[in-house]
Amino acid sequence: MSCNSNVLLIYTGGTIGMSRNPLTGALEPLNFEHLLKNVPELEQFSTQIATYQFNPPIDSSDMSPSLWTDIAHIIANNYNVYDGFVVLHGTDTMAYTASALSYMLENLTKPVILTGSQLPIGQLRTDGKENLITSIEIAAAKKHDGTACVPEVGIYFNGHLMRGNRTTKQSADEFNAFESFNLPHLVEAGVNITYNDHVILKPDFSKPMTPHFKMDNNVIVFTLFPGIREDLVRHIIATPNLRSIVMRTYGSGNAPQKVWLTNALREATLRGKVVVNISQCMAGTVEMGRYDTGYQLKSAGVLSGYDSTVENAVTKLMYLQAKYDDADTVRKYMLQSIRGEITV
């Protein structure tokens, strides 16, 4: 690792920077200086660490596309000044933010590492210190040629760095809160930090990073379940201004063999709506030709989401819809891996 690296630490909010109110027992945000005081180890870094604080801090449940734009602007405005970026973020929507940033920061050549904690950093058993310290170390790490070891958006938690747009929150209680079920970890941090170079994206270091600041959130997610009603599905599909639907199906991409469902989805596609098929399973991929139920969806114009997470499908659609007006172009790119987000 280069000893003259410098990293920008962006504090958006989250449990890591909170303390317990002695009267109510509820967690409340603290100022960032308090957080840094709880990690004196940061002074031992040879890496220069600068900080940027959201004021007031954002509860990650309140995260929104406009706040993603704010984060993207901070990174873009400081891109040439710093070697890497660490974003402290609440865990609830961290996977959405990581996915969104992977699209908003095109040809990213520097690390953008999101991390946080399950316990506030001031508590004795906190996971926040290790998550923060190792995230900074990975964000500062360079190869012998001076390029970043991990030039992509990642989530670091509990000894693992995972690709941001492949990761989902798997537990509200465990320190091992995140997992990328369909992609190996980018980095394993035990006694040594091991970089899995064969998995890490390889951008064109000769080209600049191109930021994108617009997201079109005319998208909805709905989950199939036994007994789902036709009138409600048709009501969703008929929503004004809706441009795309992420449909969470069973197993490898299967749905009930109901004529009304196939017809409703076909009508949605013909009206220019993009319908993407995502499995309700944590691991595995959508194979719409595997069973007849999946084939019926394909014949209705539904796209395979392959092994995409829900968080990725939603944010990728927002990004593509902001960039392209026509549904066919959005469909074309949804079927391609443009940021390492799906296995095609």
Side-chain angles (χ1 to χ4, degrees):
M1 189 180 86
S2 172
C3 60
N4 59 357
S5 296
N6 56 355
V7 168
L8 181 61
L9 188 57
I10 302 166
Y11 175 62
T12 68
T15 300
I16 193 166
M18 290 186 170
S19 70
R20 204 169 290 283
N21 182 311
L23 295 176
T24 66
L27 289 174
E28 295 177 346
L30 286 167
N31 66 30
F32 194 44
E33 285 66 37
H34 171 88
L35 186 148
L36 295 176
K37 270 185 209 157
N38 276 281
V39 197
E41 295 89 342
L42 293 179
E43 292 177 12
Q44 297 175 35
F45 269 106
S46 55
T47 302
Q48 297 293 308
I49 303 167
T51 58
Y52 183 100
Q53 179 179 358
F54 272 58
N55 195 9
I58 312 298
D59 186 298
S60 79
S61 301
D62 293 322
M63 196 47 69
S64 66
S66 66
L67 291 167
W68 294 336
T69 299
D70 290 343
I71 298 169
H73 272 295
I74 294 162
I75 293 168
N77 292 342
N78 291 282
Y79 195 73
N80 295 325
V81 181
Y82 297 98
D83 298 300
F85 302 86
V86 173
V87 181
L88 295 178
H89 194 290
T91 57
D92 286 349
T93 57
M94 189 184 288
Y96 285 98
T97 298
S99 294
L101 290 175
S102 77
Y103 295 108
M104 298 172 89
L105 306 171
E106 184 180 351
N107 195 49
L108 186 64
T109 56
K110 298 180 179 183
V112 174
I113 313 294
L114 284 84
T115 194
S117 66
Q118 296 284 62
L119 286 173
I121 206 148
Q123 289 194 15
L124 202 56
R125 290 183 56 249
T126 185
D127 53 329
K129 277 191 183 184
E130 194 278 321
N131 286 348
L132 174 57
I133 289 166
T134 308
S135 293
I136 291 170
E137 194 158 338
I138 293 169
K142 294 179 188 175
K143 296 181 178 176
H144 295 302
D145 64 1
T147 59
C149 289
V150 188
E152 57 174 292
V153 178
I155 288 178
Y156 181 82
F157 240 84
N158 197 49
H160 314 299
L161 181 73
M162 298 150 278
R163 178 165 300 154
N165 58 29
R166 291 283 199 144
T167 305
T168 200
K169 187 176 181 181
Q170 67 167 358
S171 174
D173 300 318
E174 296 174 14
F175 285 151
N176 192 24
F178 290 90
E179 189 53 85
S180 57
F181 291 96
N182 292 316
L183 190 78
H185 300 152
L186 307 182
V187 178
E188 303 285 0
V191 173
N192 298 305
I193 296 180
T194 305
Y195 294 85
N196 298 322
D197 288 331
H198 64 288
V199 186
I200 296 167
L201 293 176
K202 291 163 182 65
D204 186 340
F205 287 99
S206 69
K207 290 184 179 171
M209 188 274 287
T210 306
H212 303 273
F213 301 118
K214 289 184 179 172
M215 300 289 268
D216 178 345
N217 62 349
N218 286 302
V219 56
I220 199 161
V221 180
F222 81 79
T223 302
L224 293 179
F225 57 89
I228 192 166
R229 282 173 45 174
E230 177 180 1
D231 57 334
L232 299 181
V233 171
R234 287 192 174 276
H235 187 71
I236 290 167
I237 289 171
T239 304
N241 302 319
L242 182 67
R243 291 184 64 187
S244 57
I245 296 164
V246 176
M247 182 172 66
R248 300 182 69 234
T249 56
Y250 309 130
S252 57
N254 303 311
Q257 292 192 51
K258 305 279 188 189
V259 174
W260 67 260
L261 181 60
T262 309
N263 287 344
L265 294 169
R266 183 178 288 111
E267 287 163 26
T269 302
L270 290 172
R271 278 194 244 148
K273 289 178 171 61
V274 179
V275 186
V276 182
N277 183 355
I278 299 291
S279 176
Q280 292 177 30
C281 302
M282 291 286 225
T285 191
V286 165
E287 296 178 69
M288 286 161 71
R290 193 168 173 187
Y291 297 101
D292 187 54
T293 53
Y295 183 80
Q296 298 291 336
L297 296 179
K298 193 173 182 179
S299 68
V302 175
L303 303 179
S304 173
Y306 298 98
D307 55 354
S308 173
T309 64
V310 173
E311 297 93 334
N312 171 70
V314 168
T315 54
K316 185 177 180 181
L317 283 164
M318 286 186 185
Y319 164 72
L320 292 172
Q321 288 172 180
K323 199 171 180 187
Y324 304 108
D325 290 330
D326 64 300
D328 285 340
T329 308
V330 173
R331 288 190 187 102
K332 181 178 89 169
Y333 287 114
M334 283 305 293
L335 293 171
Q336 297 176 20
S337 178
I338 59 175
R339 301 285 195 274
E341 73 279 4
I342 50 175
T343 309
V344 179

